[in-house]
Amino acid sequence: MKKTLWTKNFTLVTAASALGAIGGITGGFALSFLVFDETGSTLASAFILAIQLVPHFVIPLFAAPLMDRLPRKPFLVGGDAVNGILYGLAGIYLMLGKFSYTGYLGFSLLLSSLGAFDELAYNSFYPKLIPEGMEEKGYAVSSMLYPVMKVAATPLAALLFERFGVAWMLLLQAAFSILASLVENRIQIQEQPRLDGKGFSPRLWWRDICEAADYLKRERGLRNIYGYMAVTNGVASGYSPLLIAFFRTAPGFTAAMYSLFSVAEFLGRSLGGAVQYRVKIPPKRKYGFAFGVYQFYETMDMCLLWLPYPLMLVNRACAGFLGINSASMRQAAVQRYLPEHLRARVNAFESICIMAASSLFSVILGALGEVLDYRLCVTLAAGFTLAVCWLTIWRGRGDIRPIYEASASD
């Protein structure tokens, strides 16, 4: 019997992810413009982004040991359900009340705390739903899903934003989150608790943290990968308020053009994901391919906002095409490399690094956007990230290459 990737569980988690992505894209698009439209400040937008990221490097530290010992499905199902309820309440509030920057900061912190649980549970649960030997195909589907939804939902989000406003879009996001929760609840998988007949205690939590820390001390390759991922994702988060401000203030640019600007990258990612699903890169070439993509991506960011608008779209499409291939390859390699009983804790470490860097760079680039040209800010940040890539991925190639080659058997 031929093995298939599309088992019932994998199909269900993919459908739930699609529903969550559609809701997140429509709601996120509206919220990304809400703060800048209300305040007119890139720094104010950056503070919102930064506070949203804080729980992502605090909560995983406490939750990951528990998730490595308890079933992860309830965290995923419950997280999406509560997320939908909160977004629904936010939409109703905006219909009846006025925008409050301080109130929005607090609400963002609450939603982000819930999202941190959900993201950690998903990243640790998802590998269990991929049939053995199909990891790269599974992560190619996962990586391609969001771009496809982005292509479909972003132009619609721009239209809904102009026509109906933020409140109705948040209600739409709430509906999609609850639907995702219902779909996830149908996943059938056996997850055994690992508590050895004892309750979870602070001493057990500390022992689990120390076990994961000892593992990472021995894994220089993982530390270098996580270091570069933290910087490149952190800087990319910092671009967000700058790009919004650029498209909102530069002559001849509009919010609709921003939506197409984003779609171009995700169209490239969709095509790249389709290629990744069908084509295998030889194991010995995986590290070199990934490193080359990182160089290309940072170079494209450096020149992005200096190009005419049509070339911006080409820039993002090309970067997206190559970026998704390196991302799915890295995810499959790293998740296969990690021991199952440590996966949530090590994934939490990566999340903490990325979110800490995202918070830091969001504030730094937001502040720079107050005094420097938006284009210059993006160029300087991309040049810095390029240097970090050489200091981590290239210098640590002896330890990183075996991680990529360990996924050669799929």
Side-chain angles (χ1 to χ4, degrees):
M1 182 177 177
K2 186 178 179 181
K3 181 180 287 189
T4 178
L5 171 66
W6 294 95
T7 61
K8 178 182 177 181
N9 282 343
F10 185 79
T11 302
L12 286 171
V13 75
T14 302
S17 299
L19 290 169
I22 293 173
I25 290 164
T26 54
F29 183 89
L31 291 176
S32 66
F33 284 97
L34 174 64
V35 178
F36 184 74
D37 284 350
E38 293 287 345
T39 65
S41 169
T42 58
L43 184 57
S45 300
F47 273 125
I48 288 286
L49 183 59
I51 199 169
Q52 288 176 335
L53 297 175
V54 168
H56 287 268
F57 63 85
V58 174
I59 287 177
L61 179 65
F62 296 96
L66 186 61
M67 285 189 185
D68 269 338
R69 291 187 176 274
L70 293 177
R72 294 156 185 165
K73 176 183 167 181
F75 289 100
L76 195 61
V77 175
D80 278 334
V82 177
N83 187 69
I85 293 171
L86 291 177
Y87 271 108
L89 292 174
I92 294 171
Y93 172 80
L94 287 178
M95 285 182 173
L96 303 176
K98 294 182 179 180
F99 175 81
S100 166
Y101 183 77
T102 303
Y104 186 68
L105 278 173
F107 188 69
S108 295
L109 188 62
L110 175 61
L111 284 175
S112 185
S113 299
L114 179 63
F117 280 106
D118 189 61
E119 181 180 352
L120 183 61
Y122 177 85
N123 289 337
S124 303
F125 187 53
Y126 186 76
K128 296 174 68 67
L129 305 179
I130 303 175
E132 186 177 355
M134 301 250 175
E135 288 83 359
E136 284 200 18
K137 282 192 173 184
Y139 278 101
V141 171
S142 176
S143 299
M144 186 170 55
L145 185 64
Y146 187 82
V148 171
M149 295 299 102
K150 187 82 171 181
V151 170
T154 300
L156 178 61
L159 178 63
L160 292 174
F161 174 67
E162 298 292 346
R163 187 174 180 86
F164 298 106
V166 177
W168 279 104
M169 295 183 72
L170 294 184
L171 291 176
L172 183 63
Q173 179 172 354
F176 278 113
S177 293
I178 291 173
L179 283 174
S181 175
L182 294 174
V183 173
E184 289 162 350
N185 194 49
R186 297 183 59 200
I187 294 173
Q188 296 179 349
I189 190 169
Q190 293 294 326
E191 294 185 280
Q192 297 298 329
R194 295 191 310 108
L195 291 175
D196 301 325
K198 302 177 181 179
F200 198 75
S201 65
R203 178 175 295 182
L204 185 59
W205 172 85
W206 180 247
R207 190 177 73 187
D208 286 350
I209 290 293
C210 291
E211 181 185 13
D214 289 339
Y215 172 78
L216 284 169
K217 285 180 182 177
R218 302 190 301 269
E219 294 292 339
R220 289 184 297 179
L222 286 176
R223 294 201 309 271
N224 278 302
I225 291 173
Y226 292 161
Y228 172 65
M229 286 299 116
V231 172
T232 190
N233 282 280
V235 169
S237 295
Y239 290 157
S240 181
L242 297 178
L243 295 178
I244 290 170
F246 178 81
F247 276 87
R248 208 60 168 168
T249 60
F253 289 90
T254 65
M257 292 177 70
Y258 176 74
S259 70
L260 293 176
F261 175 82
S262 300
V263 166
E265 178 173 359
F266 291 112
L267 280 172
R269 289 172 66 87
S270 299
L271 180 59
V275 172
Q276 173 73 11
Y277 188 82
R278 293 291 182 182
V279 178
K280 269 190 177 182
I281 296 176
K284 298 295 183 183
R285 296 180 181 271
K286 288 182 177 180
Y287 166 80
F289 175 80
F291 180 69
V293 170
Y294 299 152
Q295 303 301 295
F296 177 84
Y297 211 104
E298 307 304 347
T299 302
M300 290 296 98
D301 281 351
M302 289 177 69
C303 63
L304 177 61
L305 294 184
W306 302 96
L307 299 172
Y309 182 69
L311 291 183
M312 288 184 188
L313 301 180
V314 175
N315 178 305
R316 291 298 86 188
C318 292
F321 177 86
L322 291 173
I324 193 173
N325 282 276
S326 67
S328 57
M329 182 192 308
R330 172 182 54 81
Q331 288 174 324
V334 169
Q335 294 304 319
R336 169 176 278 181
Y337 186 80
L338 293 177
E340 164 64 21
H341 71 284
L342 289 170
R343 183 173 288 137
R345 281 168 282 170
V346 178
N347 283 339
F349 173 80
E350 180 186 21
S351 176
I352 290 169
C353 290
I354 289 175
M355 295 307 168
S358 296
S359 296
L360 176 64
F361 285 113
S362 294
V363 174
I364 290 174
L365 292 181
L368 285 177
E370 298 287 328
V371 296
L372 296 178
D373 184 273
Y374 301 137
R375 297 172 297 175
L376 182 60
C377 290
V378 172
T379 299
L380 292 174
F384 170 75
T385 310
L386 183 62
V388 171
C389 182
W390 280 87
L391 293 173
T392 54
I393 303 300
W394 177 251
R395 284 188 62 190
R397 60 191 180 279
D399 298 303
I400 294 173
R401 193 185 300 271
I403 296 175
Y404 282 92
E405 294 178 359
S407 63
S409 62
D410 57 66

